[in-house]
Amino acid sequence: MSTSAPRTATVTDRLVEANRAYAARFTDPGMGARPVLGVAVVACMDARLDLHAALGLELGDCHTIRNAGGVVTDDTVRSLTISQRALGTRSVALIHHTGCGLQTLTEDFRHELELEVGQRPAWAVEAFRDVDQDVRQSMQRVRTSPFLPHTDDVRGFVFDVTTGLLREIDPNS
């Protein structure tokens, strides 16, 4: 008979416990999967961005697609395509931010991973130096995707993590 030490609670255990408390007071809002405002927001996964609070959004208002840097990758296009074609969104807001971690990386990150694990990642890091230019590139990727039928309302912004303000990026600058 083996005796093992009691397992130390993890952060995930804390999240599961918080979910139990949430579920105890949860009421089904009775809404469908279609966003009420017909908008998809693509943003960085940075923990400093509280998108719903920053944009005045409520549950059910939008689709939120987050990844490192908020860059428009093939998987982002996949999500936007489903959002538009199956769930009715027509507008896209792209939100990068100041002080992004991707500004400190290079594509060498992939090479370092390959050396460490023996396999090169299939994905690009999508690192950048100029946040405004990267927003422009992301807007262009959305506007030129053959899979997206609604590309007339695509706007890009940089969120300032110290002031909370959005700054709109001119796609033609």
Side-chain angles (χ1 to χ4, degrees):
M1 183 172 204
S2 72
T3 57
S4 58
R7 187 172 68 94
T8 304
T10 66
V11 172
T12 304
D13 292 327
R14 181 176 148 225
L15 300 176
V16 170
E17 186 57 37
N19 174 256
R20 286 188 188 106
Y22 171 79
R25 62 183 185 280
F26 181 78
T27 309
D28 180 359
M31 61 180 66
R34 289 179 175 263
V36 172
L37 299 178
V39 64
V41 177
V42 177
C44 185
M45 65 186 192
D46 192 294
R48 296 171 290 180
L49 278 66
D50 182 351
L51 293 174
H52 276 73
L55 302 175
L57 296 168
E58 299 293 330
L59 181 68
D61 281 348
C62 73
H63 281 157
T64 306
I65 303 160
R66 295 182 80 156
N67 65 26
V71 297
V72 175
T73 62
D74 287 345
D75 194 58
T76 305
V77 171
R78 171 189 162 270
S79 294
L80 287 171
T81 301
I82 293 166
S83 179
Q84 288 189 358
R85 291 183 176 268
L87 296 165
T89 61
R90 300 181 75 80
S91 299
V92 178
L94 305 170
I95 302 177
H96 286 37
H97 65 91
T98 58
C100 185
L102 278 187
Q103 291 176 286
T104 65
L105 295 175
T106 68
E107 291 299 319
D108 288 341
F109 183 78
R110 291 175 71 218
H111 178 69
E112 293 162 6
L113 280 173
E114 180 180 17
L115 291 175
E116 180 183 330
V117 303
Q119 181 178 342
R120 188 172 188 89
W123 38 264
V125 175
E126 296 279 353
F128 56 87
R129 295 283 177 249
D130 183 334
V131 68
D132 291 18
Q133 185 55 35
D134 203 65
V135 171
R136 285 186 201 92
Q137 176 177 290
S138 289
M139 284 190 282
Q140 185 65 16
R141 285 178 177 174
V142 171
R143 288 188 172 126
T144 60
S145 173
F147 306 110
L148 299 173
H150 306 292
T151 58
D152 55 325
D153 187 16
V154 177
R155 294 171 64 187
F157 303 87
V158 174
F159 177 86
D160 187 313
V161 297
T162 60
T163 67
L165 287 173
L166 287 178
R167 178 173 51 83
E168 189 157 8
I169 301 302
D170 181 346
N172 302 313
S173 291

